[in-house]
Amino acid sequence: MFFSRRSIYLFWVGCCSLLPLWGAAQPVSDTLRVSLPQLEERFLSRNFQLLAQRYQISAAEAEVIQAGLRTNPNLEVATNLYNPNTGKVLPLSTPPVSDINNDVYNSGYYAAELQQLIRLAGKRTKLVALAESNRALASITFRDILRTLRYQLYTSYANLHYDLEAIRLLRGEEERQGRLIESFRLALKTGGVSRYELTRLEVDRRELRTNIATYRSQIAEEQATLRVLLRQTTPEFILPVQVPDAVPALPTVELSIDSALVNRPDAALAREQIINAERRLNLEQASRTPDLTAGVAYERYGNTYVNFTAIKLSMDLPFFNRNQGGIKVAKLGIKSAQAGLDNQESVVRNEVIEAYEKLTLYYEQNATLPPDYLIQLQNISVEATKAYNNRVISLLDYLDKIRTHQSGILNYIALRNNIFQAQQQLNFTTNTRFF
């Protein structure tokens, strides 16, 4: 039987009609179909890093409680363990009157002393203030980790969604190309096509399979990232349901920068570092004043008279060490924190400008697309096949047009992904949900 180019074309078009370009993959039983809001809800309740940082905040709150506690009083009790004059152990009994009259005290001695450390110069209040600043740092760090992980979640979800769209396109093309190759093999037996044409199609399909393998590798990486973010131990395939593809108006760059400086946790962290350094300096300066130890003491049969009661006060004399080094270090810490804030604000501004320029670029690209762009791309494939079967174009021209069709659709998918990624980058760099 002789297979003409016309019959090959009709067979191929019939197969194409069974495989819609944008057809969804058939879900399997171990597939988790999840929307972006659902994914975020699972992420907030299950992520290990967020859980660990919450513990850090709880630990910082405990440090505030600890800093506010006063030191415990100290009680010291002493007595005679062994009297070599009498050979008695723990001679606690009252001495006889005759011994007392002769000022001989071989028993009955004991002493007790109660002391309390009193922090001066408001050290306890300053310790609490420093601990509160440390708690604020832990809370801001949590917000920054949440911001980073949420951005990773959104971008990985979108990459997975659009990679699946791309691989569905390529697999559809692979299916159609495989049927075309089978038709060519049948036609080759009757001389309807040349061996060169068949080989050229097979080479093109191998290149297509290489692209599919690349996308499959990317999808595997994205699945792994999402499983880690969701603390998912089961091998369920995470299937995105939908990614928002709206293109709302851009905020002004000035508004974006102002929002970032106010809302970004890393900028707030740099500001809190200055507060923390200032409170540390206050504590170091207070340390110049020594603490006071106050107490009372009682001694029986061991001092100038039988029952001796004393009040005790002790304090280090700050003649040499007035914490000069600690104060200097704290002052340098403030300067370092201020430099860190200046640097962070510069980083924030430039990151926002970069994200804004990227999003503007992708918006401009999207604006140049005609409304029927996808229909035009689809027509390339249809018209190229008609022209090739009518011997108007060569096989090379035909394959070139098919590649143009595939490339155009893949570029369109990439543009949609780039717009979403750039929107999320601007949200991330400003810590504001503009989109």
Side-chain angles (χ1 to χ4, degrees):
M1 181 183 294
F2 179 77
F3 291 88
S4 66
R5 294 179 185 270
R6 176 68 176 172
S7 62
I8 294 172
Y9 164 69
L10 293 175
F11 175 78
W12 185 60
V13 169
C15 294
C16 290
S17 64
L18 301 176
L19 294 166
L21 180 61
W22 301 99
Q26 291 295 320
V28 294
S29 58
D30 57 348
T31 296
L32 175 64
R33 301 177 64 90
V34 61
S35 66
L36 197 49
Q38 292 171 336
L39 197 73
E40 184 173 2
E41 183 179 353
R42 291 167 66 96
F43 155 74
L44 291 174
S45 62
R46 297 172 62 88
N47 184 263
F48 274 124
Q49 285 183 264
L50 294 181
L51 181 62
Q53 189 57 36
R54 286 191 181 101
Y55 288 141
Q56 293 296 324
I57 295 175
S58 298
E61 291 173 348
E63 291 292 341
V64 174
I65 297 173
Q66 184 63 35
L69 299 178
R70 299 181 184 275
T71 57
N72 291 322
N74 174 263
L75 175 65
E76 181 180 343
V77 178
T79 189
N80 188 8
L81 177 62
Y82 173 74
N83 189 332
N85 296 327
T86 61
K88 292 183 179 180
V89 177
L90 295 176
L92 299 176
S93 61
T94 303
V97 176
S98 58
D99 287 349
I100 295 175
N101 292 334
N102 294 323
D103 290 332
V104 175
Y105 301 98
N106 286 317
S107 63
Y109 171 81
Y110 62 86
E113 184 175 337
L114 182 66
Q115 292 183 328
Q116 174 67 53
L117 178 67
I118 301 173
R119 289 173 174 161
L120 301 180
K123 292 189 187 71
R124 189 171 66 91
T125 301
K126 293 176 173 61
L127 274 171
V128 171
L130 181 60
E132 288 174 345
S133 178
N134 290 335
R135 178 181 60 187
L137 289 175
S139 179
I140 296 170
T141 300
F142 172 81
R143 288 167 46 206
D144 197 36
I145 293 174
L146 175 60
R147 177 181 74 106
T148 302
L149 293 180
R150 180 183 280 127
Y151 174 68
Q152 188 179 8
L153 180 79
Y154 274 56
T155 55
S156 298
Y157 183 91
N159 283 331
L160 176 61
H161 174 79
Y162 288 114
D163 282 348
L164 287 172
E165 280 198 0
I167 206 170
R168 279 196 289 266
L169 166 68
L170 295 178
R171 280 176 169 167
E173 293 295 334
E174 182 190 22
E175 291 279 348
R176 286 186 280 274
Q177 203 167 81
R179 286 170 171 76
L180 183 60
I181 288 173
E182 290 302 317
S183 300
F184 268 56
R185 285 175 179 164
L186 294 174
L188 180 64
K189 296 177 181 179
T190 59
V193 295
S194 66
R195 180 66 191 178
Y196 161 77
E197 290 177 307
L198 178 59
T199 302
R200 189 67 183 82
L201 283 173
E202 290 174 339
V203 170
D204 198 65
R205 183 172 64 172
R206 279 193 287 271
E207 182 179 350
L208 188 61
R209 287 174 174 173
T210 300
N211 292 335
I212 291 174
T214 300
Y215 277 104
R216 289 184 65 183
S217 176
Q218 294 174 185
I219 289 171
E221 292 176 2
E222 291 148 5
Q223 288 285 324
T225 299
L226 290 175
R227 288 193 186 102
V228 171
L229 290 173
L230 298 176
R231 202 174 73 185
Q232 179 176 319
T233 57
T234 58
E236 289 179 319
F237 185 88
I238 300 172
L239 181 63
V241 175
Q242 185 180 11
V243 171
D245 57 358
V247 187
L250 281 169
T252 64
V253 67
E254 292 81 8
L255 175 61
S256 300
I257 293 175
D258 290 343
S259 297
L261 292 175
V262 172
N263 298 329
R264 272 186 59 160
D266 50 353
L269 195 67
R271 290 190 292 270
E272 187 61 37
Q273 290 284 8
I274 294 177
I275 296 174
N276 189 273
E278 290 173 345
R279 293 184 179 182
R280 190 172 297 278
L281 175 60
N282 292 337
L283 180 61
E284 295 294 342
Q285 289 174 335
S287 297
R288 292 180 301 188
T289 303
D291 293 331
L292 174 67
T293 302
V296 292
Y298 171 78
E299 194 170 10
R300 186 185 186 203
Y301 299 128
N303 216 301
T304 55
Y305 44 87
V306 174
N307 295 305
F308 176 79
T309 303
I311 182 171
K312 301 181 68 174
L313 298 173
S314 67
M315 174 187 288
D316 293 335
L317 299 179
F319 290 158
F320 308 111
N321 181 2
R322 293 183 56 81
N323 200 30
Q324 297 92 326
I327 292 173
K328 185 175 182 179
V329 169
K331 288 180 178 179
L332 293 174
I334 293 176
K335 293 181 180 180
S336 175
Q338 183 61 57
L341 175 60
D342 294 340
N343 177 73
Q344 191 60 41
E345 288 181 346
S346 176
V347 169
V348 168
R349 288 189 179 92
N350 284 285
E351 286 182 352
V352 171
I353 292 172
E354 178 189 1
Y356 193 90
E357 290 177 347
K358 283 184 179 179
L359 184 54
T360 301
L361 175 62
Y362 293 135
Y363 269 35
E364 290 173 352
Q365 290 182 8
N366 186 68
T368 61
L369 297 179
D372 59 345
Y373 180 68
L374 287 178
I375 297 176
Q376 294 179 19
L377 290 176
Q378 190 64 27
N379 287 338
I380 292 176
S381 174
V382 175
E383 295 300 326
T385 304
K386 288 181 180 179
Y388 177 66
N389 281 278
N390 292 330
R391 302 178 184 271
V392 176
I393 59 175
S394 65
L395 178 62
L396 288 177
D397 290 334
Y398 166 72
L399 293 178
D400 181 67
K401 287 178 170 55
I402 292 299
R403 286 196 201 93
T404 300
H405 161 253
Q406 294 175 6
S407 177
I409 294 181
L410 289 176
N411 287 338
Y412 178 73
I413 293 173
L415 177 60
R416 291 167 60 201
N417 190 19
N418 287 338
I419 290 174
F420 182 83
Q421 299 289 346
Q423 288 174 339
Q424 296 309 309
Q425 186 178 3
L426 188 60
N427 286 349
F428 172 70
T429 55
T430 60
N431 199 37
T432 305
R433 292 202 176 188
F434 287 116
F435 306 99

